[in-house]
Amino acid sequence: MDWDQQVAQLWAGDVEGPGFVERAEAVASACPYGDGSGLFELAGAHDSTGAPAEAVPRYREALARGLTGVRRRRATIQLASSLRNLGDPAAGVALLEPELAVDDELSAAVRGFLALCLADTGREREALGLALGALASTLPRYQRSMAAYAGELTRPSPRPH
């Protein structure tokens, strides 16, 4: 079984059961890639078991090592969420705003987690716009209207003088 299959098997198992982080450590240490993939998987294990403070430095190191592709994008989303959970939603906003430029299967997740971070920084109107924008494409009708309203909410509102 190759390493990516080991990772899939790890995540298909009991994530909440005892020893999950230790199993993740074993899989991470066997990672044949030098791009931080193992650290990313280990960070995710810490996150999934309610230890975001343990996850954050591992996500950062994985990204610093040159993580690419879908793992880079997932690490960015997960790091932003962990930072928000640890009381630093502004750092999550800074990580996720550049990700809006990418359109892929994780775009709705980026918008959803960015909306949470924005709401926690007092930018609720913008957060609502992002959430509605992510929802718009899933609607059977009214997609265009919902997207337009979402766009209005994400634009800065005029400030009173």
Side-chain angles (χ1 to χ4, degrees):
M1 176 176 355
D2 75 10
W3 187 77
D4 289 304
Q5 291 169 324
Q6 291 176 43
V7 169
Q9 185 178 48
L10 171 73
W11 288 104
D14 185 6
V15 174
E16 296 179 12
F20 177 72
V21 171
E22 291 77 16
R23 289 190 303 280
E25 286 173 346
V27 170
S29 68
C31 180
Y33 314 126
D35 66 354
S37 291
L39 281 168
F40 163 69
E41 298 298 342
L42 182 56
H46 282 288
D47 242 352
S48 294
T49 56
E54 296 293 323
V56 165
R58 289 168 175 87
Y59 285 134
R60 286 185 169 143
E61 179 65 22
L63 290 164
R65 288 190 184 183
L67 197 61
T68 61
V70 70
R71 279 195 175 111
R72 184 209 60 81
R73 189 127 153 100
R74 288 177 50 211
T76 303
I77 294 166
Q78 291 168 214
L79 173 58
S81 177
S82 293
L83 290 167
R84 175 186 165 266
N85 288 333
L86 292 170
D88 193 0
V93 170
L95 284 166
L96 292 174
E97 282 184 330
E99 297 296 320
L100 291 172
V102 179
D103 185 22
D104 64 9
E105 70 276 4
L106 293 173
S107 294
V110 166
R111 283 171 172 70
F113 284 101
L114 178 54
L116 290 168
C117 290
L118 287 168
D120 285 356
T121 61
R123 295 164 61 186
E124 293 89 355
R125 182 179 172 88
E126 194 175 345
L128 176 60
L130 279 170
L132 290 175
L135 171 69
S137 67
T138 68
L139 299 175
R141 295 188 53 95
Y142 313 111
Q143 290 179 0
R144 192 171 53 94
S145 296
M146 186 64 68
Y149 293 136
E152 288 175 14
L153 289 168
T154 58
R155 285 191 284 280
S157 57
R159 304 228 189 265
H161 299 293

